Amino acid sequence: MRVLENVPIAKLTTMRIGGPARYVCEIISKEDFLEAWEFAKTKNLPTWFMGGGANTLGRDTGFDGVILLNKIPGIEIVAETDNSLQIKAMGGEEWDDVVEFACKRGFSGIEAMSKIPGTAGAAPVQNIGAYGQDIARILTSVDVFDTQSEEFITIPRAELKMDYRYTTFNHGPDAGRYFIVAITLHLSKHYLEPPFYNSLQNYIIEHGETDYSPLNIRRMVSEIRAHKLPDPEEIASSGSFFKNIYLDQVGADEAEEKGIPVWRSNDDSGKINSGWLIEKCDLKGKKIHGMRISDRAALVLINEDATSYTDLASARSEIINTVQQKFGYTLEQEPVEISDE
Ligand code: EPU
């Protein structure tokens, strides 16, 4: 196991902000994990589990503890029938490599989640989702190390509370309790059928697409994303910085009365696009404290030349307050922040 000392969190996260972490352990096996876990216990330091850092922010004070970086590799098919199959991806695999693995073999269920930055192990933590798919729908189980019982266990999907960007792993008393060793996904051999998620459907109509194979859906989603979302290799950001807003029926009716577009579900609850709210506040494309509100997708904050977490926090407050004053909704941040609280 490789142990690094005093590593700037800025170097571990796609937003490229954050002070030093005292120790970083690179984990490529379960044995490595146990070694790192003992290392932190011996030193009496708090731990933080991390994947690609695509949805994580570091504060200026850094982290006086041990970051365990999940780099455990491997993807395999673990069960198969005529219609469906299960694949197991180890936590340190790049999520998009898992999607590619499935699409290349014609397996459906995650193709619309192409090109989401981060690791497979991080994917269920915030229940990643895009273009009408989310991981909650196809997750079978998660192999974890439970830091309370100090053993490796498998948690079936049914025991995990999973909702829009909300799960047992990132909310409530069990947030941070589990190190995700592997995820098992249930995929289908049948292709998706229209209608698709709005922007994907528009693309399909515009380009006269008729091939709904996983590989072709992957190509289309990749192209849509490339136009809208910054490539984390080149541009510092955490993807969507704010969550969309989900409302019950009464809330959705109220929003419509105010003239805000609402996407209704079958049960009449609704969703407001936070990107729309930010855009209507004339913030799209603006730069505040070194942070740019993307001119392509207003939910995305780009770290152009912010020098600290303090800059980011100031920009965040300004955006939240402006939207709050104009529309009365409080935007919620999507990325989590490394802390030992
Ligand atoms: N919109 C605007 N202005 C904007 C952006 C969006 O008015 O600047 C409105 C438009 O009405 C548009 C609608 O919002 O039709 C939806 O926009 P889009 O499809 O781009 O998606 P999003 O709601 O902005 C969410 C996810 C993305 C995911 C896309 C596509 C969240 C927080 N974000 O964004 O996920 O890729 O849908 O499914 O739910 C991420 O979480 O990091 C992420 C990139």
Side-chain angles (χ1 to χ4, degrees), residues 33 44 71 92 115 141 190 202 227 256 270 283 302 332 336:
F33 175 84
N44 203 18
K71 293 184 172 249
K115 303 288 172 183
S141 61
H190 300 289
N202 292 343
H227 277 110
E256 263 172 1
L283 289 169
I302 293 166
E332 260 184 63
V336 294

Side-chain angles (χ1 to χ4, degrees), residues 1 26-36 68-73 90 92 152 179 181:
M1 178 190 64
E26 291 183 352
I27 312 296
I28 58 165
S29 64
K30 279 161 102 172
E31 293 70 34
D32 269 1
F33 175 84
L34 291 174
E35 207 182 310
L68 282 74
L69 271 192
N70 192 337
K71 293 184 172 249
I72 306 176
M90 303 309 285
F152 290 102
F179 178 85
V181 176

Side-chain angles (χ1 to χ4, degrees), residues 50-258:
M50 209 165 123
N55 200 48
T56 308
L57 300 176
R59 296 180 182 158
D60 293 335
T61 41
F63 181 59
D64 189 18
V66 185
I67 293 183
L68 282 74
L69 271 192
N70 192 337
K71 293 184 172 249
I72 306 176
I75 311 174
E76 58 173 337
I77 297 170
V78 288
E80 188 160 6
T81 68
D82 286 347
N83 296 313
S84 67
L85 73 158
Q86 289 191 8
I87 64 172
K88 185 178 210 166
M90 303 309 285
E93 282 289 340
E94 284 292 324
W95 167 255
D96 196 53
D97 290 345
V98 181
V99 180
E100 190 182 36
F101 177 96
C103 290
K104 274 189 169 163
R105 290 161 177 81
F107 306 151
S108 172
I110 52 176
E111 60 273 51
M113 292 188 273
S114 289
K115 303 288 172 183
I116 296 181
T119 56
V125 174
Q126 56 151 338
N127 185 17
I128 60 165
Y131 306 97
Q133 290 181 336
D134 67 14
I135 198 163
R137 284 197 225 178
I138 43 85
L139 188 69
T140 304
S141 61
V142 183
D143 294 349
V144 300
F145 178 83
D146 178 356
T147 58
Q148 261 175 34
S149 64
E150 298 200 297
E151 57 186 359
F152 290 102
I153 55 166
T154 298
I155 311 178
R157 157 74 180 90
E159 285 174 24
L160 296 166
K161 289 191 206 88
M162 294 182 93
D163 209 331
Y164 169 70
R165 302 294 193 268
Y166 175 105
T167 72
T168 310
F169 297 120
N170 68 2
H171 278 84
D174 291 337
R177 171 171 165 183
Y178 303 107
F179 178 85
I180 298 181
V181 176
I183 59 174
T184 303
L185 309 177
H186 182 89
L187 302 179
S188 168
K189 293 185 182 172
H190 300 289
Y191 295 177
L192 295 180
E193 283 173 25
F196 294 96
Y197 178 90
N198 220 4
S199 47
L200 179 55
Q201 187 66 34
N202 292 343
Y203 181 102
I204 286 172
I205 293 167
E206 206 177 302
H207 293 81
E209 298 278 351
T210 50
D211 172 5
Y212 305 140
S213 65
L215 211 48
N216 201 39
I217 299 278
R218 171 172 169 75
R219 185 189 56 75
M220 293 189 263
V221 166
S222 304
E223 215 173 297
I224 298 169
R225 286 186 73 99
H227 277 110
K228 278 199 190 164
L229 298 163
D231 176 357
E233 297 278 325
E234 285 161 30
I235 293 169
S237 101
S238 308
S240 295
F241 190 82
F242 296 105
K243 296 180 197 173
N244 285 318
I245 298 168
Y246 283 77
L247 301 166
D248 59 15
Q249 191 182 343
V250 177
D253 291 347
E254 278 169 9
E256 263 172 1
E257 278 158 28
K258 289 191 215 161

